[in-house]
PDB file of all heavy atoms in Angstrom:
ATOM      1  N   LEU B  89     -11.732 -11.680  44.950  1.00  0.00           N
ATOM      2  CA  LEU B  89     -11.174 -12.935  45.429  1.00  0.00           C
ATOM      3  C   LEU B  89     -11.108 -12.847  46.945  1.00  0.00           C
ATOM      4  O   LEU B  89     -10.900 -11.775  47.498  1.00  0.00           O
ATOM      5  CB  LEU B  89      -9.745 -13.121  44.904  1.00  0.00           C
ATOM      6  CG  LEU B  89      -9.538 -13.301  43.404  1.00  0.00           C
ATOM      7  CD1 LEU B  89      -8.071 -13.116  43.064  1.00  0.00           C
ATOM      8  CD2 LEU B  89     -10.001 -14.676  42.979  1.00  0.00           C
ATOM      9  N   SER B  90     -11.280 -13.986  47.583  1.00  0.00           N
ATOM     10  CA  SER B  90     -11.131 -13.988  49.030  1.00  0.00           C
ATOM     11  C   SER B  90     -10.695 -15.369  49.457  1.00  0.00           C
ATOM     12  O   SER B  90     -10.969 -16.354  48.777  1.00  0.00           O
ATOM     13  CB  SER B  90     -12.461 -13.634  49.688  1.00  0.00           C
ATOM     14  OG  SER B  90     -12.451 -14.024  51.036  1.00  0.00           O
ATOM     15  N   LYS B  91     -10.013 -15.443  50.593  1.00  0.00           N
ATOM     16  CA  LYS B  91      -9.722 -16.774  51.100  1.00  0.00           C
ATOM     17  C   LYS B  91     -11.019 -17.382  51.589  1.00  0.00           C
ATOM     18  O   LYS B  91     -11.975 -16.667  51.902  1.00  0.00           O
ATOM     19  CB  LYS B  91      -8.671 -16.715  52.199  1.00  0.00           C
ATOM     20  CG  LYS B  91      -9.151 -16.095  53.489  1.00  0.00           C
ATOM     21  CD  LYS B  91      -8.180 -16.438  54.602  1.00  0.00           C
ATOM     22  CE  LYS B  91      -8.661 -15.852  55.921  1.00  0.00           C
ATOM     23  NZ  LYS B  91      -7.908 -16.319  57.057  1.00  0.00           N
ATOM     24  N   ALA B  92     -11.102 -18.693  51.644  1.00  0.00           N
ATOM     25  CA  ALA B  92     -12.370 -19.311  51.995  1.00  0.00           C
ATOM     26  C   ALA B  92     -12.211 -20.403  53.035  1.00  0.00           C
ATOM     27  O   ALA B  92     -13.116 -21.182  53.270  1.00  0.00           O
ATOM     28  CB  ALA B  92     -13.053 -19.872  50.754  1.00  0.00           C
ATOM     29  N   SER B  93     -11.038 -20.509  53.637  1.00  0.00           N
ATOM     30  CA  SER B  93     -10.890 -21.452  54.726  1.00  0.00           C
ATOM     31  C   SER B  93      -9.886 -20.892  55.716  1.00  0.00           C
ATOM     32  O   SER B  93      -8.984 -20.145  55.341  1.00  0.00           O
ATOM     33  CB  SER B  93     -10.424 -22.814  54.218  1.00  0.00           C
ATOM     34  OG  SER B  93      -9.090 -22.716  53.776  1.00  0.00           O
ATOM     35  N   ALA B  94     -10.074 -21.264  56.955  1.00  0.00           N
ATOM     36  CA  ALA B  94      -9.212 -20.690  57.979  1.00  0.00           C
ATOM     37  C   ALA B  94      -7.967 -21.538  58.194  1.00  0.00           C
ATOM     38  O   ALA B  94      -6.894 -21.035  58.472  1.00  0.00           O
ATOM     39  CB  ALA B  94      -9.987 -20.568  59.281  1.00  0.00           C
ATOM     40  N   SER B  95      -8.109 -22.851  58.001  1.00  0.00           N
ATOM     41  CA  SER B  95      -6.992 -23.723  58.320  1.00  0.00           C
ATOM     42  C   SER B  95      -5.893 -23.570  57.284  1.00  0.00           C
ATOM     43  O   SER B  95      -6.141 -23.193  56.136  1.00  0.00           O
ATOM     44  CB  SER B  95      -7.459 -25.174  58.353  1.00  0.00           C
ATOM     45  OG  SER B  95      -7.719 -25.607  57.041  1.00  0.00           O
ATOM     46  N   SER B  96      -4.685 -23.864  57.699  1.00  0.00           N
ATOM     47  CA  SER B  96      -3.571 -23.694  56.784  1.00  0.00           C
ATOM     48  C   SER B  96      -3.405 -24.916  55.879  1.00  0.00           C
ATOM     49  O   SER B  96      -2.709 -24.864  54.875  1.00  0.00           O
ATOM     50  CB  SER B  96      -2.285 -23.438  57.568  1.00  0.00           C
ATOM     51  OG  SER B  96      -2.159 -24.423  58.568  1.00  0.00           O
ATOM     52  N   GLU B  97      -4.074 -26.031  56.231  1.00  0.00           N
ATOM     53  CA  GLU B  97      -3.944 -27.217  55.381  1.00  0.00           C
ATOM     54  C   GLU B  97      -4.737 -27.044  54.096  1.00  0.00           C
ATOM     55  O   GLU B  97      -4.290 -27.375  53.018  1.00  0.00           O
ATOM     56  CB  GLU B  97      -4.463 -28.467  56.098  1.00  0.00           C
ATOM     57  CG  GLU B  97      -3.732 -28.800  57.365  1.00  0.00           C
ATOM     58  CD  GLU B  97      -4.703 -29.240  58.451  1.00  0.00           C
ATOM     59  OE1 GLU B  97      -5.595 -30.054  58.154  1.00  0.00           O
ATOM     60  OE2 GLU B  97      -4.577 -28.737  59.573  1.00  0.00           O
ATOM     61  N   LYS B  98      -5.955 -26.535  54.275  1.00  0.00           N
ATOM     62  CA  LYS B  98      -6.797 -26.368  53.102  1.00  0.00           C
ATOM     63  C   LYS B  98      -6.583 -24.971  52.544  1.00  0.00           C
ATOM     64  O   LYS B  98      -6.905 -23.990  53.197  1.00  0.00           O
ATOM     65  CB  LYS B  98      -8.269 -26.537  53.477  1.00  0.00           C
ATOM     66  CG  LYS B  98      -8.675 -27.978  53.594  1.00  0.00           C
ATOM     67  CD  LYS B  98     -10.182 -28.110  53.558  1.00  0.00           C
ATOM     68  CE  LYS B  98     -10.812 -27.911  54.915  1.00  0.00           C
ATOM     69  NZ  LYS B  98     -12.257 -28.054  54.911  1.00  0.00           N
ATOM     70  N   GLN B  99      -6.017 -24.899  51.349  1.00  0.00           N
ATOM     71  CA  GLN B  99      -5.834 -23.588  50.757  1.00  0.00           C
ATOM     72  C   GLN B  99      -6.983 -23.332  49.797  1.00  0.00           C
ATOM     73  O   GLN B  99      -6.868 -23.569  48.607  1.00  0.00           O
ATOM     74  CB  GLN B  99      -4.497 -23.503  50.062  1.00  0.00           C
ATOM     75  CG  GLN B  99      -3.360 -23.420  51.065  1.00  0.00           C
ATOM     76  CD  GLN B  99      -2.139 -22.812  50.456  1.00  0.00           C
ATOM     77  OE1 GLN B  99      -1.665 -23.256  49.426  1.00  0.00           O
ATOM     78  NE2 GLN B  99      -1.621 -21.762  51.069  1.00  0.00           N
ATOM     79  N   TYR B 100      -8.076 -22.860  50.330  1.00  0.00           N
ATOM     80  CA  TYR B 100      -9.258 -22.609  49.513  1.00  0.00           C
ATOM     81  C   TYR B 100      -9.422 -21.119  49.283  1.00  0.00           C
ATOM     82  O   TYR B 100      -9.204 -20.324  50.192  1.00  0.00           O
ATOM     83  CB  TYR B 100     -10.513 -23.133  50.216  1.00  0.00           C
ATOM     84  CG  TYR B 100     -10.665 -24.636  50.206  1.00  0.00           C
ATOM     85  CD1 TYR B 100      -9.666 -25.449  49.685  1.00  0.00           C
ATOM     86  CD2 TYR B 100     -11.804 -25.236  50.717  1.00  0.00           C
ATOM     87  CE1 TYR B 100      -9.809 -26.819  49.682  1.00  0.00           C
ATOM     88  CE2 TYR B 100     -11.953 -26.614  50.714  1.00  0.00           C
ATOM     89  CZ  TYR B 100     -10.941 -27.406  50.199  1.00  0.00           C
ATOM     90  OH  TYR B 100     -11.088 -28.754  50.196  1.00  0.00           O
ATOM     91  N   ILE B 101      -9.798 -20.781  48.072  1.00  0.00           N
ATOM     92  CA  ILE B 101     -10.172 -19.402  47.817  1.00  0.00           C
ATOM     93  C   ILE B 101     -11.527 -19.402  47.125  1.00  0.00           C
ATOM     94  O   ILE B 101     -11.948 -20.392  46.533  1.00  0.00           O
ATOM     95  CB  ILE B 101      -9.150 -18.647  46.935  1.00  0.00           C
ATOM     96  CG1 ILE B 101      -9.053 -19.265  45.539  1.00  0.00           C
ATOM     97  CG2 ILE B 101      -7.800 -18.567  47.596  1.00  0.00           C
ATOM     98  CD1 ILE B 101      -8.714 -18.270  44.476  1.00  0.00           C
ATOM     99  N   VAL B 102     -12.184 -18.260  47.189  1.00  0.00           N
ATOM    100  CA  VAL B 102     -13.439 -18.122  46.465  1.00  0.00           C
ATOM    101  C   VAL B 102     -13.266 -16.953  45.496  1.00  0.00           C
ATOM    102  O   VAL B 102     -12.575 -15.984  45.795  1.00  0.00           O
ATOM    103  CB  VAL B 102     -14.619 -17.918  47.435  1.00  0.00           C
ATOM    104  CG1 VAL B 102     -14.533 -16.590  48.155  1.00  0.00           C
ATOM    105  CG2 VAL B 102     -15.940 -18.034  46.722  1.00  0.00           C
ATOM    106  N   SER B 103     -13.823 -17.105  44.306  1.00  0.00           N
ATOM    107  CA  SER B 103     -13.739 -16.043  43.318  1.00  0.00           C
ATOM    108  C   SER B 103     -15.139 -15.729  42.831  1.00  0.00           C
ATOM    109  O   SER B 103     -15.993 -16.609  42.771  1.00  0.00           O
ATOM    110  CB  SER B 103     -12.863 -16.482  42.146  1.00  0.00           C
ATOM    111  OG  SER B 103     -13.424 -17.606  41.517  1.00  0.00           O
ATOM    112  N   ALA B 104     -15.370 -14.466  42.481  1.00  0.00           N
ATOM    113  CA  ALA B 104     -16.681 -14.068  41.962  1.00  0.00           C
ATOM    114  C   ALA B 104     -16.474 -13.297  40.681  1.00  0.00           C
ATOM    115  O   ALA B 104     -15.446 -12.648  40.503  1.00  0.00           O
ATOM    116  CB  ALA B 104     -17.410 -13.205  42.984  1.00  0.00           C
ATOM    117  N   SER B 105     -17.446 -13.402  39.784  1.00  0.00           N
ATOM    118  CA  SER B 105     -17.286 -12.725  38.508  1.00  0.00           C
ATOM    119  C   SER B 105     -18.418 -11.748  38.268  1.00  0.00           C
ATOM    120  O   SER B 105     -19.430 -11.758  38.954  1.00  0.00           O
ATOM    121  CB  SER B 105     -17.240 -13.736  37.362  1.00  0.00           C
ATOM    122  OG  SER B 105     -18.544 -14.072  36.981  1.00  0.00           O
ATOM    123  N   GLU B 106     -18.220 -10.933  37.264  1.00  0.00           N
ATOM    124  CA  GLU B 106     -19.169  -9.889  36.883  1.00  0.00           C
ATOM    125  C   GLU B 106     -20.556 -10.462  36.577  1.00  0.00           C
ATOM    126  O   GLU B 106     -21.562  -9.813  36.774  1.00  0.00           O
ATOM    127  CB  GLU B 106     -18.594  -9.178  35.643  1.00  0.00           C
ATOM    128  CG  GLU B 106     -19.214  -7.870  35.261  1.00  0.00           C
ATOM    129  CD  GLU B 106     -18.855  -6.736  36.198  1.00  0.00           C
ATOM    130  OE1 GLU B 106     -17.665  -6.366  36.281  1.00  0.00           O
ATOM    131  OE2 GLU B 106     -19.769  -6.224  36.825  1.00  0.00           O
ATOM    132  N   SER B 107     -20.602 -11.703  36.097  1.00  0.00           N
ATOM    133  CA  SER B 107     -21.886 -12.273  35.718  1.00  0.00           C
ATOM    134  C   SER B 107     -22.555 -13.010  36.878  1.00  0.00           C
ATOM    135  O   SER B 107     -23.538 -13.704  36.658  1.00  0.00           O
ATOM    136  CB  SER B 107     -21.704 -13.216  34.539  1.00  0.00           C
ATOM    137  OG  SER B 107     -20.775 -14.200  34.852  1.00  0.00           O
ATOM    138  N   GLY B 108     -22.030 -12.870  38.083  1.00  0.00           N
ATOM    139  CA  GLY B 108     -22.685 -13.443  39.249  1.00  0.00           C
ATOM    140  C   GLY B 108     -22.219 -14.842  39.618  1.00  0.00           C
ATOM    141  O   GLY B 108     -22.755 -15.450  40.533  1.00  0.00           O
ATOM    142  N   GLU B 109     -21.223 -15.366  38.891  1.00  0.00           N
ATOM    143  CA  GLU B 109     -20.728 -16.698  39.230  1.00  0.00           C
ATOM    144  C   GLU B 109     -19.833 -16.615  40.461  1.00  0.00           C
ATOM    145  O   GLU B 109     -19.131 -15.628  40.660  1.00  0.00           O
ATOM    146  CB  GLU B 109     -19.886 -17.270  38.085  1.00  0.00           C
ATOM    147  CG  GLU B 109     -20.621 -17.418  36.789  1.00  0.00           C
ATOM    148  CD  GLU B 109     -19.725 -17.193  35.591  1.00  0.00           C
ATOM    149  OE1 GLU B 109     -18.734 -16.451  35.707  1.00  0.00           O
ATOM    150  OE2 GLU B 109     -20.036 -17.736  34.537  1.00  0.00           O
ATOM    151  N   MET B 110     -19.892 -17.681  41.251  1.00  0.00           N
ATOM    152  CA  MET B 110     -18.968 -17.800  42.386  1.00  0.00           C
ATOM    153  C   MET B 110     -18.331 -19.178  42.308  1.00  0.00           C
ATOM    154  O   MET B 110     -19.013 -20.159  42.031  1.00  0.00           O
ATOM    155  CB  MET B 110     -19.729 -17.716  43.698  1.00  0.00           C
ATOM    156  CG  MET B 110     -19.824 -16.347  44.299  1.00  0.00           C
ATOM    157  SD  MET B 110     -20.830 -16.441  45.772  1.00  0.00           S
ATOM    158  CE  MET B 110     -19.594 -16.120  47.005  1.00  0.00           C
ATOM    159  N   CYS B 111     -17.034 -19.243  42.537  1.00  0.00           N
ATOM    160  CA  CYS B 111     -16.327 -20.519  42.466  1.00  0.00           C
ATOM    161  C   CYS B 111     -15.487 -20.700  43.712  1.00  0.00           C
ATOM    162  O   CYS B 111     -14.829 -19.768  44.158  1.00  0.00           O
ATOM    163  CB  CYS B 111     -15.359 -20.529  41.285  1.00  0.00           C
ATOM    164  SG  CYS B 111     -16.064 -21.162  39.816  1.00  0.00           S
TER     165      CYS B 111
END
Side-chain angles (χ1 to χ4, degrees):
Chain B
L89 294 166
S90 162
K91 70 164 181 170
S93 70
S95 72
S96 50
E97 299 139 46
K98 280 197 275 181
Q99 287 202 306
Y100 286 5
I101 63 149
V102 67
S103 61
S105 84
E106 194 73 64
S107 56
E109 300 147 332
M110 267 177 112
C111 268

